[in-house]
């Protein structure tokens, strides 16, 4: 079974600054995908970034990047140049490639952007 | 690409009543998933379909819950004899099997309140 832990229930950052959200996971599988999703208040879940476990290079999407440490089973999200629109719940999730197709989510981190 | 849609967006019902939710996936997606999200938590997997076949069900899906996906297009999730503990956001997601990471795209959810 897979588990995902987000140890920071809440984080805040000043607009234009950089913030890092933490995520650790546990799985006995070697092939899997990792995701960060964003859920703004009363709005739907949106994919932020994804990482294939077999790729050593960290994924990057504009202001969003990850620090993927496979041996440590760590998958943190860095948001650069934070904007007011980045305020949301952020969920880390894992999906194994073979077998169960479900996403297993962490408990989420609520990110507040201070103007 | 119109995205995943869900209806209704909100449902208030009395304990003991039956409710049915509908999900329309992204048109070319062959996989469809249902998740349940309670306040302040990450989504939890309920069930998933590949085309019209229901391939996986969570232990969370009690006998009062049933899901269908006739003809491999839209899906319905029915809850019979609702209980107050069923109050949650019910999320639907869809994906295209074999497309890279098989990323799941979420709908806006149906918020169920059981009085």
């Amino acid at each position: 079974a897979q588990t995902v832990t987000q140890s920071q229930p809440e984080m805040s950052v000043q607009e234009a600054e950089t913030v890092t959200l933490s995520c650790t996971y546990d799985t006995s599988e070697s092939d899997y995908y990792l995701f960060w999703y964003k859920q703004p208040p009363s709005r739907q879940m949106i994919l932020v970034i994804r990482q294939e476990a077999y790729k050593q290079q960290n994924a990057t999407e504009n202001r969003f990047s990850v620090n993927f440490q496979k041996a440590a089973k760590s998958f943190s999200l860095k948001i650069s140049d934070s904007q007011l629109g980045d305020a949301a719940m952020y969920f880390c999730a894992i999906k194994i490639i073979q077998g169960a197709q479900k996403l297993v989510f962490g408990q989420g981190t609520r990110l507040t952007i201070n103007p | 690409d119109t995205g995943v849609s869900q209806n209704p967006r909100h449902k208030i019902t009395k304990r003991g009543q039956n409710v049915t939710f509908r999900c329309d996936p992204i048109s070319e997606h062959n996989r469809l998933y249902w998740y349940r999200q309670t306040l302040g938590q990450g989504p939890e997997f309920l069930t998933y379909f590949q085309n019209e076949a229901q391939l996986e069900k969570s232990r969370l899906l009690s006998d009062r819950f049933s899901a269908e996906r006739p003809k491999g297009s839209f899906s319905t999730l029915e809850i019979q004899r609702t209980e107050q503990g069923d109050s949650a956001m019910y999320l639907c997601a869809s994906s295209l099997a074999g497309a890279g990471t098989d990323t799941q795209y979420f709908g806006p959810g149906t918020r169920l309140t059981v009085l």
Side-chain angles (χ1 to χ4, degrees):
Chain A
Q2 287 64 242
T3 60
V4 176
T5 302
Q6 294 179 248
S7 59
Q8 305 155 315
E10 297 183 357
M11 291 281 285
S12 63
V13 64
Q14 290 295 125
E15 194 176 2
E17 296 295 308
T18 296
V19 64
T20 298
L21 308 184
S22 301
C23 172
T24 58
Y25 60 92
D26 191 27
T27 180
S28 57
E29 303 288 332
S30 58
D31 295 325
Y32 49 88
Y33 302 125
L34 294 162
F35 303 86
W36 278 97
Y37 283 88
K38 165 186 176 181
Q39 190 175 39
S42 301
R43 295 180 62 186
Q44 68 193 78
M45 193 95 62
I46 303 166
L47 176 70
V48 175
I49 199 165
R50 58 192 167 209
Q51 173 82 42
E52 294 90 335
Y54 59 84
K55 288 187 177 179
Q56 292 186 343
Q57 185 173 5
N58 288 324
T60 299
E61 288 286 345
N62 300 315
R63 297 182 295 107
F64 299 87
S65 61
V66 298
N67 183 4
F68 173 47
Q69 301 290 329
K70 191 171 184 179
K73 295 183 178 177
S74 170
F75 183 61
S76 61
L77 174 69
K78 186 172 81 171
I79 306 173
S80 304
D81 186 26
S82 299
Q83 300 175 0
L84 294 177
D86 295 333
M89 282 291 287
Y90 285 80
F91 293 98
C92 178
I94 185 172
K95 186 175 88 71
I96 63 172
I97 294 177
Q98 297 296 332
Q101 294 300 315
K102 64 183 179 183
L103 285 168
V104 175
F105 287 88
Q107 305 94 319
T109 296
R110 182 176 302 281
L111 179 64
T112 302
I113 312 296
N114 299 314
Chain B
D1 184 350
T2 57
V4 178
S5 62
Q6 292 186 246
N7 288 289
R9 295 290 307 275
H10 302 274
K11 178 72 177 178
I12 300 174
T13 190
K14 292 183 179 179
R15 188 175 52 185
Q17 298 294 304
N18 299 345
V19 295
T20 300
F21 310 141
R22 175 176 170 131
C23 171
D24 288 90
I26 293 171
S27 58
E28 68 269 23
H29 285 185
N30 54 1
R31 286 182 173 164
L32 187 148
Y33 312 78
W34 286 99
Y35 292 84
R36 181 170 69 186
Q37 185 179 25
T38 53
L39 201 61
Q41 300 295 316
E44 295 177 292
F45 172 78
L46 293 178
T47 189
Y48 107 93
F49 294 82
Q50 178 148 331
N51 300 313
E52 66 275 9
Q54 188 173 19
L55 297 185
E56 192 176 347
K57 292 170 62 173
S58 164
R59 288 173 295 173
L60 292 174
L61 214 65
S62 75
D63 292 344
R64 298 184 296 105
F65 288 70
S66 63
E68 295 182 342
R69 194 184 182 197
K71 302 179 183 178
S73 56
F74 71 92
S75 175
T76 58
L77 177 68
E78 181 184 16
I79 308 175
Q80 296 182 328
R81 305 181 303 281
T82 53
E83 302 172 355
Q84 288 185 326
D86 297 331
S87 295
M89 177 77 84
Y90 289 84
L91 299 172
C92 176
S94 70
S95 71
L96 181 61
T101 56
D102 190 18
T103 297
Q104 296 180 26
Y105 295 90
F106 283 81
T110 295
R111 181 169 296 283
L112 173 66
T113 301
V114 181
L115 302 176

